[in-house]
């Protein structure tokens, strides 16, 4: 049985959760924390403790440099959301993200944190759906030594994978998420 790791946020996370559950062959774990509201089924939620949220601090500091963000400026719920992202990618075999890829190669928003950490951690298969096209990360575990390349929709998810992305998505993004699961049936 495959396992989908996500964050339970409205938008892409919820679509990945629903698609994985709909297929019936996937276990879903949505990482969360006390005080985080989510609409995904309660049975899929894994609440992280304060100590668990701190586990990815070193990786987050490095990711912040690549993203040109100041990690020390984040506090409260925004910080916990990003700390939760570490858990989404720390033991994954593949990442499927829905977010914009900027011209400089960085992925936008909170999803950018997870994708950058996945690169740093050496996740072998990283895909991002941006501007209506799937892209794959080609490079090392150094975000400055690689690039995004267009590809035919990625192979269907297997094993332990991460399904994440933007909160605000349209019909095109929803279709891209569900098509990953339809390929595998």
């Amino acid at each position: 049985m495959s396992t989908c790791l996500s964050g339970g946020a409205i938008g892409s996370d919820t679509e990945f959760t629903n698609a994985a559950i709909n297929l019936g062959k996937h276990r879903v774990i949505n990482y969360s924390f006390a005080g985080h509201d989510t609409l995904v089924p309660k049975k899929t939620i894994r609440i992280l403790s304060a100590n668990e949220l701190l586990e990815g601090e070193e990786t987050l500091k490095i990711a912040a440099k690549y993203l040109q963000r100041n990690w020390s400026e984040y506090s409260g719920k925004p910080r916990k959301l990003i700390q939760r992202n570490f858990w989404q990618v720390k033991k994954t075999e593949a990442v499927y993200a829905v977010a914009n890829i900027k011209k400089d190669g960085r992925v936008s928003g909170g999803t950018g944190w997870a994708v950058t950490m996945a690169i740093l951690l050496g996740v072998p298969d990283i895909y991002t759906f941006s501007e209506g096209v799937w892209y794959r990360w080609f490079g090392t575990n150094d975000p400055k030594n690689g690039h995004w390349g267009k590809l035919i929709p990625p192979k269907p998810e297997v094993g332990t994978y991460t399904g994440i992305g933007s909160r605000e998505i349209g019909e095109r993004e929803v279709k891209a998420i569900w098509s990953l699961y339809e390929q595998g049936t």
Side-chain angles (χ1 to χ4, degrees):
M1 177 179 277
S2 294
T3 301
C4 174
L5 307 176
S6 198
I10 294 168
S12 298
D13 292 10
T14 300
E15 287 300 326
F16 275 107
T17 296
N18 291 339
I21 289 171
N22 184 61
L23 186 59
K25 300 177 185 175
H26 298 254
R27 177 176 170 231
V28 178
I29 300 171
N30 280 292
Y31 290 106
S32 190
F33 51 87
H36 178 224
D37 295 326
T38 180
L39 300 176
V40 296
K42 291 193 185 309
K43 68 180 181 179
T44 68
I45 299 172
R46 160 79 158 76
I47 301 292
L48 298 167
S49 70
N51 284 338
E52 288 174 321
L53 287 170
L54 293 173
E55 188 175 313
E57 285 295 303
E58 291 307 311
T59 305
L60 284 161
K61 288 176 187 174
I62 296 167
K65 289 179 186 176
Y66 285 106
L67 293 167
Q68 299 176 356
R69 300 176 187 172
N70 186 347
W71 179 234
S72 64
E73 291 179 0
Y74 291 84
S75 63
K77 187 176 179 180
R79 186 178 186 97
K80 290 178 183 178
L81 287 168
I82 298 166
Q83 289 171 318
R84 171 212 60 185
N85 289 358
F86 173 76
W87 283 80
Q88 295 169 351
V89 299
K90 82 174 205 164
K91 290 186 178 179
T92 194
E93 299 168 50
V95 173
Y96 299 85
V98 175
N100 288 327
I101 300 172
K102 298 177 183 180
K103 289 181 182 180
D104 64 6
R106 292 180 290 154
V107 174
S108 65
T111 306
W113 286 95
V115 169
T116 301
M117 286 187 287
I119 292 168
L120 291 168
L121 295 170
V123 173
D125 295 311
I126 303 171
Y127 307 100
T128 300
F129 187 78
S130 176
E131 308 277 332
V133 178
W134 280 105
Y135 292 84
R136 183 180 194 278
W137 174 254
F138 293 98
T140 66
N141 63 343
D142 179 349
K144 290 188 177 179
N145 290 320
H147 67 279
W148 293 101
K150 289 183 183 180
L151 75 154
I152 299 169
K155 62 184 180 191
E157 69 303 313
V158 293
T160 300
Y161 65 96
T162 302
I164 55 172
S166 300
R167 291 176 186 264
E168 294 185 23
I169 59 173
E171 201 172 306
R172 173 175 66 177
E173 290 79 12
V174 170
K175 185 176 179 180
I177 292 169
W178 282 81
S179 71
L180 290 172
Y181 294 90
E182 290 164 1
Q183 290 180 62
T185 58

